[in-house]
Amino acid sequence: MGYWGYFTVAESASPLGDLACTRAIPELTLNRRLSGDWQVWEHPAEPDIEADDLAVALAEETGKPALVGFVMDSDCVVIEAADSSNGAWTACLSPKAMARYLAEDGQQLEDWMLTPERATENAVIWARLTGRQVATAPLAEIFQKEADPFAEDLFFTLLRNLSLV
């Protein structure tokens, strides 16, 4: 059995767990600090708030881009990213595994997630809004790659490719 849980990523001088939008989420703990004031906080299960709502709330409260990654049994990751000017977008890491999860409910990947190409475009824009210029090719690769063995590793590779590490 793999890991189920959220990673919440945002830039803030204050701890993310102290923000109004996260204060009510129990078991939210600091996972690691990244460059500057960027932080990764972790919740070991599904919190009461939806990942897309949390990403939007973080972006609104901090005034900066934010993202949330929901890891599903270490197989795949739902990426919810938001910024205060362009809204939110949803993509995934390990798309074949995600497609299998969605197929169990009679759904298709395209119904919920951006294509790897569109996810790459949005990630480049998202990174630009953080003040970073990022290479497209590594982002395109990460949105197409399958977890081997853990989807959490893909998530942290995504953060590196977004130049947050």
Side-chain angles (χ1 to χ4, degrees), residues 75-121:
D75 292 331
C76 51
V77 183
V78 177
I79 301 294
E80 299 287 355
D83 67 79
S84 57
S85 60
N86 294 315
W89 52 274
T90 304
C92 70
L93 303 176
S94 199
K96 290 178 184 172
M98 181 65 68
R100 287 191 297 273
Y101 276 98
L102 291 171
E104 290 174 9
D105 292 330
Q107 300 175 46
Q108 295 183 358
L109 188 66
E110 298 77 26
D111 295 337
W112 293 98
M113 310 293 164
L114 293 176
T115 64
E117 296 79 21
R118 291 279 305 156
T120 299
E121 292 169 12

Side-chain angles (χ1 to χ4, degrees), residues 32-89:
R32 65 188 72 180
R33 293 192 175 278
L34 304 174
S35 64
D37 287 332
W38 283 90
Q39 306 167 41
V40 179
W41 285 63
E42 180 177 0
H43 187 279
E46 284 191 66
D48 293 333
I49 188 170
E50 295 292 325
D52 55 343
D53 294 338
L54 181 55
V56 169
L58 281 165
E60 288 175 354
E61 188 166 347
T62 64
K64 299 172 183 175
L67 67 85
V68 175
F70 176 51
V71 181
M72 300 170 63
D73 202 22
S74 293
D75 292 331
C76 51
V77 183
V78 177
I79 301 294
E80 299 287 355
D83 67 79
S84 57
S85 60
N86 294 315
W89 52 274

